[in-house]
PDB file of all heavy atoms in Angstrom:
ATOM      1  N   VAL A 504       0.841  -1.238  -0.014  1.00 94.00           N
ATOM      2  CA  VAL A 504      -0.014   0.005  -0.004  1.00 94.00           C
ATOM      3  C   VAL A 504       0.853   1.283   0.011  1.00 94.00           C
ATOM      4  O   VAL A 504       0.669   2.153  -0.819  1.00 94.00           O
ATOM      5  CB  VAL A 504      -0.977   0.020   1.249  1.00 94.00           C
ATOM      6  CG1 VAL A 504      -1.738   1.300   1.192  1.00 94.00           C
ATOM      7  CG2 VAL A 504      -1.806  -1.220   1.256  1.00 94.00           C
ATOM      8  N   MET A 505       1.841   1.324   0.834  1.00 95.00           N
ATOM      9  CA  MET A 505       2.604   2.521   1.041  1.00 95.00           C
ATOM     10  C   MET A 505       3.541   2.838  -0.071  1.00 95.00           C
ATOM     11  O   MET A 505       3.759   4.028  -0.393  1.00 95.00           O
ATOM     12  CB  MET A 505       3.434   2.474   2.418  1.00 95.00           C
ATOM     13  CG  MET A 505       2.555   2.223   3.602  1.00 95.00           C
ATOM     14  SD  MET A 505       1.230   3.383   3.780  1.00 95.00           S
ATOM     15  CE  MET A 505       2.072   4.824   4.312  1.00 95.00           C
ATOM     16  N   MET A 506       4.112   1.851  -0.767  1.00 96.00           N
ATOM     17  CA  MET A 506       5.021   2.111  -1.841  1.00 96.00           C
ATOM     18  C   MET A 506       4.246   2.712  -3.057  1.00 96.00           C
ATOM     19  O   MET A 506       4.630   3.771  -3.591  1.00 96.00           O
ATOM     20  CB  MET A 506       5.762   0.903  -2.230  1.00 96.00           C
ATOM     21  CG  MET A 506       6.978   0.619  -1.318  1.00 96.00           C
ATOM     22  SD  MET A 506       8.239  -0.457  -2.047  1.00 96.00           S
ATOM     23  CE  MET A 506       7.303  -2.027  -2.288  1.00 96.00           C
ATOM     24  N   PRO A 507       3.078   2.149  -3.464  1.00 96.00           N
ATOM     25  CA  PRO A 507       2.372   2.786  -4.591  1.00 96.00           C
ATOM     26  C   PRO A 507       1.838   4.142  -4.212  1.00 96.00           C
ATOM     27  O   PRO A 507       1.703   4.979  -5.045  1.00 96.00           O
ATOM     28  CB  PRO A 507       1.348   1.759  -4.947  1.00 96.00           C
ATOM     29  CG  PRO A 507       1.224   0.825  -3.831  1.00 96.00           C
ATOM     30  CD  PRO A 507       2.576   0.771  -3.221  1.00 96.00           C
ATOM     31  N   LEU A 508       1.395   4.260  -2.954  1.00 97.00           N
ATOM     32  CA  LEU A 508       0.918   5.551  -2.469  1.00 97.00           C
ATOM     33  C   LEU A 508       2.025   6.605  -2.549  1.00 97.00           C
ATOM     34  O   LEU A 508       1.756   7.727  -3.051  1.00 97.00           O
ATOM     35  CB  LEU A 508       0.391   5.476  -1.031  1.00 97.00           C
ATOM     36  CG  LEU A 508      -0.113   6.678  -0.343  1.00 97.00           C
ATOM     37  CD1 LEU A 508      -1.203   7.409  -1.242  1.00 97.00           C
ATOM     38  CD2 LEU A 508      -0.636   6.457   1.034  1.00 97.00           C
ATOM     39  N   ARG A 509       3.169   6.288  -2.131  1.00 97.00           N
ATOM     40  CA  ARG A 509       4.356   7.270  -2.236  1.00 97.00           C
ATOM     41  C   ARG A 509       4.587   7.593  -3.655  1.00 97.00           C
ATOM     42  O   ARG A 509       4.919   8.684  -4.038  1.00 97.00           O
ATOM     43  CB  ARG A 509       5.534   6.771  -1.527  1.00 97.00           C
ATOM     44  CG  ARG A 509       6.707   7.679  -1.535  1.00 97.00           C
ATOM     45  CD  ARG A 509       7.905   7.159  -0.763  1.00 97.00           C
ATOM     46  NE  ARG A 509       7.668   7.088   0.608  1.00 97.00           N
ATOM     47  CZ  ARG A 509       7.739   8.117   1.483  1.00 97.00           C
ATOM     48  NH1 ARG A 509       7.990   9.318   1.039  1.00 97.00           N
ATOM     49  NH2 ARG A 509       7.490   7.988   2.753  1.00 97.00           N
ATOM     50  N   LEU A 510       4.628   6.525  -4.542  1.00 97.00           N
ATOM     51  CA  LEU A 510       4.919   6.781  -5.924  1.00 97.00           C
ATOM     52  C   LEU A 510       3.866   7.730  -6.541  1.00 97.00           C
ATOM     53  O   LEU A 510       4.241   8.542  -7.333  1.00 97.00           O
ATOM     54  CB  LEU A 510       4.918   5.397  -6.700  1.00 97.00           C
ATOM     55  CG  LEU A 510       5.268   5.423  -8.183  1.00 97.00           C
ATOM     56  CD1 LEU A 510       6.674   5.855  -8.296  1.00 97.00           C
ATOM     57  CD2 LEU A 510       5.006   4.002  -8.829  1.00 97.00           C
ATOM     58  N   ALA A 511       2.631   7.563  -6.179  1.00 97.00           N
ATOM     59  CA  ALA A 511       1.565   8.433  -6.729  1.00 97.00           C
ATOM     60  C   ALA A 511       1.819   9.864  -6.242  1.00 97.00           C
ATOM     61  O   ALA A 511       1.584  10.748  -7.122  1.00 97.00           O
ATOM     62  CB  ALA A 511       0.200   7.952  -6.195  1.00 97.00           C
ATOM     63  N   LEU A 512       2.176  10.129  -5.003  1.00 97.00           N
ATOM     64  CA  LEU A 512       2.355  11.414  -4.461  1.00 97.00           C
ATOM     65  C   LEU A 512       3.665  12.144  -4.950  1.00 97.00           C
ATOM     66  O   LEU A 512       3.588  13.315  -5.177  1.00 97.00           O
ATOM     67  CB  LEU A 512       2.341  11.361  -2.952  1.00 97.00           C
ATOM     68  CG  LEU A 512       1.037  10.803  -2.281  1.00 97.00           C
ATOM     69  CD1 LEU A 512       1.292  10.657  -0.780  1.00 97.00           C
ATOM     70  CD2 LEU A 512      -0.147  11.724  -2.493  1.00 97.00           C
ATOM     71  N   VAL A 513       4.740  11.385  -5.083  1.00 97.00           N
ATOM     72  CA  VAL A 513       6.000  11.951  -5.290  1.00 97.00           C
ATOM     73  C   VAL A 513       6.571  11.647  -6.689  1.00 97.00           C
ATOM     74  O   VAL A 513       7.246  12.558  -7.247  1.00 97.00           O
ATOM     75  CB  VAL A 513       7.084  11.355  -4.313  1.00 97.00           C
ATOM     76  CG1 VAL A 513       8.383  11.910  -4.527  1.00 97.00           C
ATOM     77  CG2 VAL A 513       6.559  11.731  -2.874  1.00 97.00           C
ATOM     78  N   GLY A 514       6.209  10.544  -7.253  1.00 96.00           N
ATOM     79  CA  GLY A 514       6.709  10.135  -8.596  1.00 96.00           C
ATOM     80  C   GLY A 514       7.927   9.327  -8.389  1.00 96.00           C
ATOM     81  O   GLY A 514       8.558   8.792  -9.375  1.00 96.00           O
ATOM     82  N   ALA A 515       8.383   9.010  -7.124  1.00 96.00           N
ATOM     83  CA  ALA A 515       9.526   8.236  -6.871  1.00 96.00           C
ATOM     84  C   ALA A 515       9.366   7.709  -5.393  1.00 96.00           C
ATOM     85  O   ALA A 515       8.435   8.151  -4.673  1.00 96.00           O
ATOM     86  CB  ALA A 515      10.809   8.970  -7.016  1.00 96.00           C
ATOM     87  N   LEU A 516      10.233   6.778  -4.945  1.00 96.00           N
ATOM     88  CA  LEU A 516      10.141   6.240  -3.630  1.00 96.00           C
ATOM     89  C   LEU A 516      11.105   7.060  -2.777  1.00 96.00           C
ATOM     90  O   LEU A 516      12.124   6.606  -2.259  1.00 96.00           O
ATOM     91  CB  LEU A 516      10.490   4.735  -3.607  1.00 96.00           C
ATOM     92  CG  LEU A 516       9.501   3.896  -4.392  1.00 96.00           C
ATOM     93  CD1 LEU A 516       9.938   2.394  -4.296  1.00 96.00           C
ATOM     94  CD2 LEU A 516       8.062   4.049  -3.907  1.00 96.00           C
ATOM     95  N   GLN A 517      10.800   8.268  -2.587  1.00 95.00           N
ATOM     96  CA  GLN A 517      11.583   9.217  -1.783  1.00 95.00           C
ATOM     97  C   GLN A 517      10.730  10.240  -1.047  1.00 95.00           C
ATOM     98  O   GLN A 517       9.494  10.317  -1.248  1.00 95.00           O
ATOM     99  CB  GLN A 517      12.674   9.902  -2.535  1.00 95.00           C
ATOM    100  CG  GLN A 517      12.012  10.935  -3.610  1.00 95.00           C
ATOM    101  CD  GLN A 517      13.051  11.535  -4.514  1.00 95.00           C
ATOM    102  OE1 GLN A 517      13.807  10.893  -5.199  1.00 95.00           O
ATOM    103  NE2 GLN A 517      13.034  12.885  -4.559  1.00 95.00           N
ATOM    104  N   GLY A 518      11.298  11.052  -0.135  1.00 95.00           N
ATOM    105  CA  GLY A 518      10.548  12.140   0.467  1.00 95.00           C
ATOM    106  C   GLY A 518      10.217  11.811   1.927  1.00 95.00           C
ATOM    107  O   GLY A 518      10.453  10.724   2.397  1.00 95.00           O
ATOM    108  N   PRO A 519       9.576  12.823   2.618  1.00 96.00           N
ATOM    109  CA  PRO A 519       9.280  12.609   3.985  1.00 96.00           C
ATOM    110  C   PRO A 519       8.002  11.690   4.161  1.00 96.00           C
ATOM    111  O   PRO A 519       7.553  11.069   3.190  1.00 96.00           O
ATOM    112  CB  PRO A 519       8.983  14.019   4.473  1.00 96.00           C
ATOM    113  CG  PRO A 519       8.652  14.818   3.219  1.00 96.00           C
ATOM    114  CD  PRO A 519       9.384  14.128   2.184  1.00 96.00           C
ATOM    115  N   ASP A 520       7.537  11.580   5.399  1.00 96.00           N
ATOM    116  CA  ASP A 520       6.428  10.708   5.650  1.00 96.00           C
ATOM    117  C   ASP A 520       5.279  11.023   4.642  1.00 96.00           C
ATOM    118  O   ASP A 520       4.866  12.174   4.424  1.00 96.00           O
ATOM    119  CB  ASP A 520       5.959  10.951   7.100  1.00 96.00           C
ATOM    120  CG  ASP A 520       4.835   9.905   7.523  1.00 96.00           C
ATOM    121  OD1 ASP A 520       3.663  10.284   7.337  1.00 96.00           O
ATOM    122  OD2 ASP A 520       5.282   8.847   7.985  1.00 96.00           O
ATOM    123  N   VAL A 521       4.644   9.930   4.212  1.00 97.00           N
ATOM    124  CA  VAL A 521       3.605  10.154   3.105  1.00 97.00           C
ATOM    125  C   VAL A 521       2.358  10.892   3.737  1.00 97.00           C
ATOM    126  O   VAL A 521       1.630  11.681   2.985  1.00 97.00           O
ATOM    127  CB  VAL A 521       3.088   8.793   2.513  1.00 97.00           C
ATOM    128  CG1 VAL A 521       4.197   8.205   1.669  1.00 97.00           C
ATOM    129  CG2 VAL A 521       2.695   7.785   3.563  1.00 97.00           C
ATOM    130  N   PHE A 522       2.173  10.637   4.970  1.00 97.00           N
ATOM    131  CA  PHE A 522       0.947  11.350   5.590  1.00 97.00           C
ATOM    132  C   PHE A 522       1.183  12.842   5.770  1.00 97.00           C
ATOM    133  O   PHE A 522       0.241  13.660   5.706  1.00 97.00           O
ATOM    134  CB  PHE A 522       0.596  10.668   6.937  1.00 97.00           C
ATOM    135  CG  PHE A 522       0.240   9.237   6.749  1.00 97.00           C
ATOM    136  CD1 PHE A 522       1.051   8.297   7.245  1.00 97.00           C
ATOM    137  CD2 PHE A 522      -0.868   8.908   6.105  1.00 97.00           C
ATOM    138  CE1 PHE A 522       0.820   6.900   7.065  1.00 97.00           C
ATOM    139  CE2 PHE A 522      -1.250   7.530   5.934  1.00 97.00           C
ATOM    140  CZ  PHE A 522      -0.378   6.521   6.435  1.00 97.00           C
ATOM    141  N   ASP A 523       2.432  13.266   5.999  1.00 97.00           N
ATOM    142  CA  ASP A 523       2.820  14.670   5.993  1.00 97.00           C
ATOM    143  C   ASP A 523       2.546  15.277   4.594  1.00 97.00           C
ATOM    144  O   ASP A 523       2.087  16.416   4.473  1.00 97.00           O
ATOM    145  CB  ASP A 523       4.214  14.798   6.440  1.00 97.00           C
ATOM    146  CG  ASP A 523       4.406  14.593   7.894  1.00 97.00           C
ATOM    147  OD1 ASP A 523       3.510  14.994   8.688  1.00 97.00           O
ATOM    148  OD2 ASP A 523       5.456  14.093   8.316  1.00 97.00           O
ATOM    149  N   ILE A 524       3.004  14.460   3.561  1.00 97.00           N
ATOM    150  CA  ILE A 524       2.800  15.020   2.219  1.00 97.00           C
ATOM    151  C   ILE A 524       1.343  15.193   1.856  1.00 97.00           C
ATOM    152  O   ILE A 524       0.877  16.181   1.344  1.00 97.00           O
ATOM    153  CB  ILE A 524       3.482  13.956   1.198  1.00 97.00           C
ATOM    154  CG1 ILE A 524       4.981  13.932   1.458  1.00 97.00           C
ATOM    155  CG2 ILE A 524       3.210  14.451  -0.190  1.00 97.00           C
ATOM    156  CD1 ILE A 524       5.704  12.799   0.639  1.00 97.00           C
ATOM    157  N   MET A 525       0.521  14.178   2.262  1.00 97.00           N
ATOM    158  CA  MET A 525      -0.898  14.187   1.899  1.00 97.00           C
ATOM    159  C   MET A 525      -1.563  15.384   2.657  1.00 97.00           C
ATOM    160  O   MET A 525      -2.351  16.118   2.023  1.00 97.00           O
ATOM    161  CB  MET A 525      -1.562  12.916   2.348  1.00 97.00           C
ATOM    162  CG  MET A 525      -1.091  11.751   1.500  1.00 97.00           C
ATOM    163  SD  MET A 525      -1.554  10.088   2.326  1.00 97.00           S
ATOM    164  CE  MET A 525      -3.310  10.062   1.989  1.00 97.00           C
ATOM    165  N   TYR A 526      -1.165  15.569   3.836  1.00 97.00           N
ATOM    166  CA  TYR A 526      -1.740  16.731   4.641  1.00 97.00           C
ATOM    167  C   TYR A 526      -1.473  18.050   3.985  1.00 97.00           C
ATOM    168  O   TYR A 526      -2.323  18.923   3.817  1.00 97.00           O
ATOM    169  CB  TYR A 526      -1.268  16.666   6.088  1.00 97.00           C
ATOM    170  CG  TYR A 526      -1.599  17.893   6.887  1.00 97.00           C
ATOM    171  CD1 TYR A 526      -2.949  18.176   7.237  1.00 97.00           C
ATOM    172  CD2 TYR A 526      -0.596  18.800   7.216  1.00 97.00           C
ATOM    173  CE1 TYR A 526      -3.229  19.324   7.993  1.00 97.00           C
ATOM    174  CE2 TYR A 526      -0.937  19.928   7.972  1.00 97.00           C
ATOM    175  CZ  TYR A 526      -2.222  20.212   8.324  1.00 97.00           C
ATOM    176  OH  TYR A 526      -2.569  21.337   8.991  1.00 97.00           O
ATOM    177  N   LEU A 527      -0.228  18.233   3.597  1.00 97.00           N
ATOM    178  CA  LEU A 527       0.227  19.558   3.056  1.00 97.00           C
ATOM    179  C   LEU A 527      -0.361  19.846   1.687  1.00 97.00           C
ATOM    180  O   LEU A 527      -0.828  20.954   1.373  1.00 97.00           O
ATOM    181  CB  LEU A 527       1.693  19.683   3.088  1.00 97.00           C
ATOM    182  CG  LEU A 527       2.440  20.016   4.376  1.00 97.00           C
ATOM    183  CD1 LEU A 527       3.961  20.262   4.213  1.00 97.00           C
ATOM    184  CD2 LEU A 527       1.841  21.249   5.017  1.00 97.00           C
ATOM    185  N   ILE A 528      -0.410  18.770   0.826  1.00 97.00           N
ATOM    186  CA  ILE A 528      -0.885  19.113  -0.495  1.00 97.00           C
ATOM    187  C   ILE A 528      -2.414  19.125  -0.570  1.00 97.00           C
ATOM    188  O   ILE A 528      -3.004  19.672  -1.440  1.00 97.00           O
ATOM    189  CB  ILE A 528      -0.347  18.120  -1.589  1.00 97.00           C
ATOM    190  CG1 ILE A 528      -0.914  16.610  -1.256  1.00 97.00           C
ATOM    191  CG2 ILE A 528       1.168  18.150  -1.604  1.00 97.00           C
ATOM    192  CD1 ILE A 528      -0.452  15.644  -2.379  1.00 97.00           C
ATOM    193  N   GLY A 529      -3.044  18.560   0.496  1.00 96.00           N
ATOM    194  CA  GLY A 529      -4.522  18.696   0.694  1.00 96.00           C
ATOM    195  C   GLY A 529      -5.274  17.464   0.095  1.00 96.00           C
ATOM    196  O   GLY A 529      -4.672  16.642  -0.731  1.00 96.00           O
ATOM    197  N   LYS A 530      -6.461  17.327   0.436  1.00 96.00           N
ATOM    198  CA  LYS A 530      -7.271  16.157   0.029  1.00 96.00           C
ATOM    199  C   LYS A 530      -7.485  16.124  -1.488  1.00 96.00           C
ATOM    200  O   LYS A 530      -7.302  15.027  -2.065  1.00 96.00           O
ATOM    201  CB  LYS A 530      -8.655  16.197   0.703  1.00 96.00           C
ATOM    202  CG  LYS A 530      -9.598  14.991   0.396  1.00 96.00           C
ATOM    203  CD  LYS A 530     -10.932  15.076   0.941  1.00 96.00           C
ATOM    204  CE  LYS A 530     -10.926  14.880   2.405  1.00 96.00           C
ATOM    205  NZ  LYS A 530     -12.342  14.778   2.932  1.00 96.00           N
ATOM    206  N   ALA A 531      -7.816  17.186  -2.089  1.00 96.00           N
ATOM    207  CA  ALA A 531      -8.166  17.175  -3.537  1.00 96.00           C
ATOM    208  C   ALA A 531      -6.952  16.809  -4.295  1.00 96.00           C
ATOM    209  O   ALA A 531      -7.034  15.980  -5.214  1.00 96.00           O
ATOM    210  CB  ALA A 531      -8.721  18.543  -3.925  1.00 96.00           C
ATOM    211  N   GLU A 532      -5.791  17.441  -4.000  1.00 97.00           N
ATOM    212  CA  GLU A 532      -4.609  17.069  -4.737  1.00 97.00           C
ATOM    213  C   GLU A 532      -4.170  15.677  -4.505  1.00 97.00           C
ATOM    214  O   GLU A 532      -3.625  14.966  -5.349  1.00 97.00           O
ATOM    215  CB  GLU A 532      -3.481  18.089  -4.335  1.00 97.00           C
ATOM    216  CG  GLU A 532      -2.172  17.841  -5.062  1.00 97.00           C
ATOM    217  CD  GLU A 532      -2.219  18.180  -6.531  1.00 97.00           C
ATOM    218  OE1 GLU A 532      -3.128  18.850  -7.006  1.00 97.00           O
ATOM    219  OE2 GLU A 532      -1.268  17.727  -7.264  1.00 97.00           O
TER     220      GLU A 532
END
């Protein structure tokens, strides 16, 4: 679950916590 979710958000398997990313970019994004 978490790897494809990160890939969707970032485009790669990198970056800070996925939930922090989701919170900052917002629900719609």
Side-chain angles (χ1 to χ4, degrees):
V504 179
M505 301 307 289
M506 281 200 295
L508 177 54
R509 182 177 292 280
L510 184 65
L512 299 172
V513 177
L516 298 181
Q517 66 183 55
D520 187 271
V521 291
F522 300 109
D523 287 322
I524 299 173
M525 294 164 74
Y526 169 71
L527 281 186
I528 66 175
K530 181 186 287 188
E532 180 67 18

